[in-house]
Amino acid sequence: METRKGNSAAAVENTTGGIPDLSAASARESSKFGAILVAIYAFIEASRILELSSIYKLHIPLFLFVILALVTLGMLIQRGIHGFLDNKASFCFAALTVWVVISFPLSEWRAVSFPLIEKTIQGLILFVAVAQLGSTEKHWRWIAAGFGYGALCASIVSFFLAKTIVGGRLVIGRGGTLTDPNELALSLVIGLPFLLYTAALSKGLKRIVLYASSILVLYSFARTGSRGGLLALMAMLLVFFILGKTTQKMAMIVACVVGIAAGVVLLPHGITDRFTTFFAVHEDNVSNATESHLDSAVASAEGRKDLLIQSLQITAQHPLLGVGPGVFPTVARHQRVANHQSGGANLVTHNTYTEYSAEAGVLAFVFWTGTLFFCIRYALQAYRSMSGLDDLLAFAARDTLAAMIALAVGSCFLSLAYGLKIPVLLGLTVALHNVVQARRENPKVAETAPALPMLAGSAVLPASRTPLAPRKPRRFDLSGRPRNRY
């Protein structure tokens, strides 16, 4: 019986009855549509561009999320959910979500916790959507491009809508997540590797422009004056340095020297003074302005140290379920007042690890740490297995590993629990793990890389990656991992 082949959306004939199998074509179209939606959503989350306009009142991200959830649900019904917990990172993240929800009934202030419970559940849905819809190499690139372009958009917007706080530190807008310079800094850092990967896939003038735009991202990052972000950036660069070739290492050293020199010249003194608190203490001959900046930076560091100690104490007092999602700032302030200390404002832990432990218990800390551990492990395994076999996948794994390491370090200085940006990054890591697993199962078959639609540009693969045989439709479980059809 003759089999007809057409476009990717063409039906494949059923080998038993000659009836076109429309389900496979429908699944491919749904997967493509869902991947584009995820890429757009990743762009919005990374750039937070809608927070800066009245259009945010239209709740566009919410509408996108609902559509994305419905598409993902339809694909799960079609493909099945068997095998989701086989993925250890997915298991840990799902367990984290469940445990945070379990902690809600015993929260000391359920009215505060309820919105965060909603975000936690949304985060799991988004994680599943990214892992499911990004489980092909082409779709993974779309989502990664959306994440990278989001960081670039945020840095460009910072030149037009920037505001400064004490010491000349950069923030964006009047409200939203990017008004915290530390969160803005980490957002730029974890988006940078995906912007570089998108640039590597491009060619000609577009590649030059994207590589040059990474300088804008780094400059915007430097203007935030975030010391935690600086440590995350250093961790990311260390990954690139260790996994780079000798010439790349030399180029990185030169670039770092030039970047430091340019920062000293271009950045406000308040920011450079803030960065020096990593390495030096007060000198007697500094100016009054410099002394004020240093005092502010040192006081910030001491305050975060006190918050860290208090979050560990509250964890010890409520080890099982914590005090409730989002309730730590209020409980901590009341304790300071009860101990005749300065109550101050309601301050978060500034540490994601202890934020989970203090607000949802020790098990939440274990699940969060486990999620990071297995995601980093998967990215490292993907890099090792693809090195010398598939350079593009190896580069994707390296850049994902760099972003995950930056997240793990940045989590020590920021409260990132309950957000929606981090599930996108975690889902991307799991999706790449699944792509590499499928590639290893069938090493002779590789996808060509068509032009990245909408958010990304063209990506031309070497001729050596021409497919040797047509790829059969695959079935995937809830985490996006391929499974046998029978």
Side-chain angles (χ1 to χ4, degrees), residues 16-27:
T16 59
I19 301 174
D21 182 7
L22 300 178
S23 61
S26 176

Side-chain angles (χ1 to χ4, degrees), residues 124-141:
L124 178 62
I125 295 173
L126 188 59
F127 170 84
V128 174
V130 174
Q132 177 83 359
L133 298 169
S135 55
T136 68
E137 191 173 346
K138 176 178 63 176
H139 294 169
W140 189 90
R141 291 193 189 104

Side-chain angles (χ1 to χ4, degrees), residues 83-93 127 131 374-375 378 429-431 433-434 437 477 479-481:
F84 173 46
L85 299 183
D86 289 347
N87 185 297
K88 294 180 180 179
S90 299
F91 171 83
C92 286
F93 194 69
F127 170 84
F374 286 114
C375 282
Y378 290 159
T429 308
V430 173
H433 171 69
N434 297 328
Q437 290 287 88
D477 57 36
S479 66
R481 185 173 182 176

Side-chain angles (χ1 to χ4, degrees), residues 180-197:
D180 182 350
N182 297 303
E183 187 161 346
L184 172 59
L186 185 61
S187 178
L188 296 175
V189 169
I190 64 177
L192 181 60
F194 298 105
L195 178 63
L196 295 175
Y197 182 72

